[in-house]
Amino acid sequence: MWRKLVLFGGCLLVAVALFGSIKAYSAKVKDIDLSDTTPIVLVHGTHGTANSFNGMISRMTATYGKSTDKVIVLVKKDGTLEYQGTLSAKSKNPFIQIVFENNDAPIAQEAEWVDAVIKDIQKKYHVTQYNAIGHSNGGLALTTYAEELEDDSSPTMEKLVVIGTPFNDLDSDDNAATTDFVDVTNRTAELQKYIADSSNLDANLKVLSIAGDLESDSVSDGVVPVQSALASRLIFDSAVAEYSEQVVTGSNAQHSDLHENTTVDAIVAAFIY
């Protein structure tokens, strides 16, 4: 009984503290105008959490000095949004990290949640443009959003970085061990749809695709085949203003470590900033 009371009391204190922080945050939000800066929106992959991009955010903030402040937007299972952290009118290129409470949802659902967050930060922060970074399936969610849900009333996605994103799924039979290709071994239905819908992309968008290669043999990052990650060229190359690729090699190029890799940090920073 005592344990239950302690747990209940702890939960109550956390709830009170959280409510207080959200209330204080909401009071400040109406005064924030970020229309003159370019926030960086981040979307984690499957099973990702608020910790997924924390390291990259901290390193990039400290190393490059071109971003200040960060906020997490937690998308609850019912679609409601919970803000954690604060931004100010002086925030410069702040990081806005989207975190899905249901972190194993279908890509189409995640894209709808991205849309909800983009609309909300447009309303709350007067965001007019932003850059976006997606790891793994987070890159698919952002691509789906850009192709299917972004419209003329949306803030402009100026730059998109996809890191270890499986555009042609994970089967090695569909993805040959080569980076020098004009087409993948076999197009999955998902890839074919991304290609078909690429005409909906903003022609002014700039895209960077980063693949991981553990053994420098063009096979995979341990999860996503290199060719699947670079199948992004079939989607973006002829549809956007600028498309580029980078392959990061070595033991730190493992799929889950790509956003913890300082080489990736440098590549992303050079492109984003």
Side-chain angles (χ1 to χ4, degrees), residues 32-34 36-42 56-72 85-97 125 272-273:
I32 298 175
D33 185 344
L34 300 179
D36 290 333
T37 193
T38 306
I40 301 168
V41 174
L42 306 101
M56 174 181 277
I57 290 171
S58 296
R59 291 189 307 272
M60 289 182 67
T61 299
T63 303
Y64 302 100
K66 295 186 177 182
S67 286
T68 61
D69 304 324
K70 70 174 182 178
V71 69
I72 290 172
T86 60
L87 300 179
S88 76
K90 295 181 179 179
S91 295
K92 180 175 65 174
N93 303 325
F95 290 100
I96 300 176
Q97 187 177 356
Y125 300 133
I272 287 289
Y273 299 125

Side-chain angles (χ1 to χ4, degrees), residues 128-249:
T128 57
Q129 71 284 318
Y130 65 97
N131 296 326
I133 302 172
H135 173 249
S136 193
N137 279 355
L140 296 182
L142 284 167
T143 301
T144 300
Y145 164 76
E147 288 190 341
E148 299 182 13
L149 300 172
E150 188 177 28
D151 57 36
D152 292 341
S153 67
S154 305
T156 301
M157 183 191 294
E158 295 192 333
K159 297 178 181 179
L160 170 64
V161 181
V162 288
I163 304 173
T165 298
F167 287 103
N168 200 42
D169 215 339
L170 306 178
D171 196 333
S172 60
D173 290 341
D174 295 329
N175 299 282
T178 179
T179 59
D180 182 18
F181 63 91
V182 294
D183 205 346
V184 296
T185 302
N186 179 60
R187 293 184 183 183
T188 62
E190 291 78 12
L191 175 60
Q192 190 59 48
K193 186 175 189 309
Y194 281 120
I195 294 171
D197 291 342
S198 64
S199 59
N200 297 329
L201 292 166
D202 185 338
N204 295 314
L205 179 65
K206 297 179 180 180
V207 179
L208 167 64
S209 180
I210 300 174
D213 188 3
L214 282 173
E215 303 294 336
S216 303
D217 54 6
S218 303
V219 176
S220 80
D221 61 13
V223 177
V224 177
V226 173
Q227 191 174 82
S228 180
L230 297 185
S232 51
R233 73 177 62 158
L234 305 178
I235 302 165
F236 298 108
D237 194 25
S238 61
V240 300
E242 179 182 308
Y243 172 77
S244 58
E245 301 171 346
Q246 291 277 356
V247 179
V248 178
T249 61

Side-chain angles (χ1 to χ4, degrees), residues 248-260:
V248 178
T249 61
S251 59
N252 290 334
Q254 195 278 335
H255 184 69
S256 297
D257 291 337
L258 283 169
H259 49 56
E260 301 298 335

Side-chain angles (χ1 to χ4, degrees), residues 67-87:
S67 286
T68 61
D69 304 324
K70 70 174 182 178
V71 69
I72 290 172
V73 185
L74 176 64
V75 183
K76 307 285 275 187
K77 291 180 180 179
D78 63 1
T80 58
L81 307 181
E82 177 183 294
Y83 284 73
Q84 301 172 3
T86 60
L87 300 179

